[in-house]
Amino acid sequence: MKLSNIILSQAIRVGKVSGPGGGTIYGLNLSKACEERYGFLQAPRVLADYDLSKGVTFLHGFFENRVIDKFQVFPNGIVAESKLDTDECDRFLDDILKWITERGGMEFTPSEPVIRLYFSQLEIQSGVELARSFPQLAFLGRQIGDILRGYGQTTPDYEFSGLSFGASQNDRIGFRFEGREGATAQHGVFFSQSRLRTSDHLRILETLEGALTTSAS
């Protein structure tokens, strides 16, 4: 399995956001601190932009020669988003919290216990063949294809193209692994999404690849 591309990464810190001494955040101080060090190309400019309930948003900043696509501040946490490893997002959050606290722009009190959330979307290459890993479901693909052909459509049999895991049956964000949109699984290009750090996400994918390869043999 090979990582081809990090499509999206998020690192989230849960906690109380306030101004110095627990008071109200003065938006101009926050903006100046963020723009001074990270050079965000888009930052809050009018009063409505400083509504914490909707998220105070900074776009396209620069940290250690890497682009941070988005930084957001909410009353109960902060979010960094990029096309980098989630560890890089964490490093940015560590740095910006130290910086803006020193500049008097904001204070952050972590939740107790400490909660960190992650989200990652990856494009990977793998020799896995999902259809071969679940041959017992092939009949459903043929049945769906037969029905569609009965509508006058020209289509091959459907194949098993992805799987998902979640904390509940309705949890579609938990973990997904499927053929990459715009490519076919036969070409070995897959999309995966999870609420995991990049390194943990890749470790789970390695385990999944091994299980699917064994199932197909």
Side-chain angles (χ1 to χ4, degrees), residues 78-130:
I78 57 175
V79 183
E81 181 177 305
S82 74
K83 297 178 180 62
L84 307 170
D85 191 297
T86 51
D87 286 353
E88 297 298 323
C89 291
D90 266 337
R91 284 168 51 78
F92 167 75
L93 289 180
D94 288 338
D95 190 85
I96 198 169
L97 281 175
K98 183 175 184 294
W99 175 260
I100 58 182
T101 297
E102 291 175 348
R103 293 300 182 278
M106 189 183 86
E107 288 188 0
F108 179 77
T109 304
S111 62
E112 187 63 44
V114 173
I115 299 174
R116 295 191 177 189
L117 306 175
Y118 298 95
F119 181 71
S120 62
Q121 293 181 331
L122 308 177
E123 181 181 272
I124 60 171
Q125 291 182 321
S126 173
V128 164
E129 296 182 50
L130 287 174

Side-chain angles (χ1 to χ4, degrees), residues 47-58:
L47 187 60
D49 293 339
Y50 292 100
D51 185 349
L52 282 178
S53 65
K54 297 179 181 177
V56 178
T57 301
F58 298 83

Side-chain angles (χ1 to χ4, degrees), residues 129 132-135 211-217:
E129 296 182 50
R132 290 189 59 192
S133 299
F134 298 91
L212 293 176
T213 301
T214 300
S215 177
S217 60

Side-chain angles (χ1 to χ4, degrees), residues 118-120 164-168 170-177 192-196 201:
Y118 298 95
F119 181 71
S120 62
S164 65
F165 297 89
S168 68
N170 296 323
D171 184 1
R172 286 284 294 162
I173 298 178
F175 181 91
R176 288 167 53 193
F177 178 77
S192 186
Q193 171 178 290
S194 74
R195 293 192 181 101
L196 301 173
H201 192 168

Side-chain angles (χ1 to χ4, degrees), residues 158-201:
Y158 274 35
E159 293 185 346
F160 189 85
S161 59
L163 52 83
S164 65
F165 297 89
S168 68
Q169 290 186 354
N170 296 323
D171 184 1
R172 286 284 294 162
I173 298 178
F175 181 91
R176 288 167 53 193
F177 178 77
E178 58 196 34
R180 182 78 162 109
E181 185 176 355
T184 64
Q186 285 78 12
H187 292 154
V189 182
F190 294 88
F191 167 85
S192 186
Q193 171 178 290
S194 74
R195 293 192 181 101
L196 301 173
R197 293 171 57 211
T198 304
S199 58
D200 292 329
H201 192 168

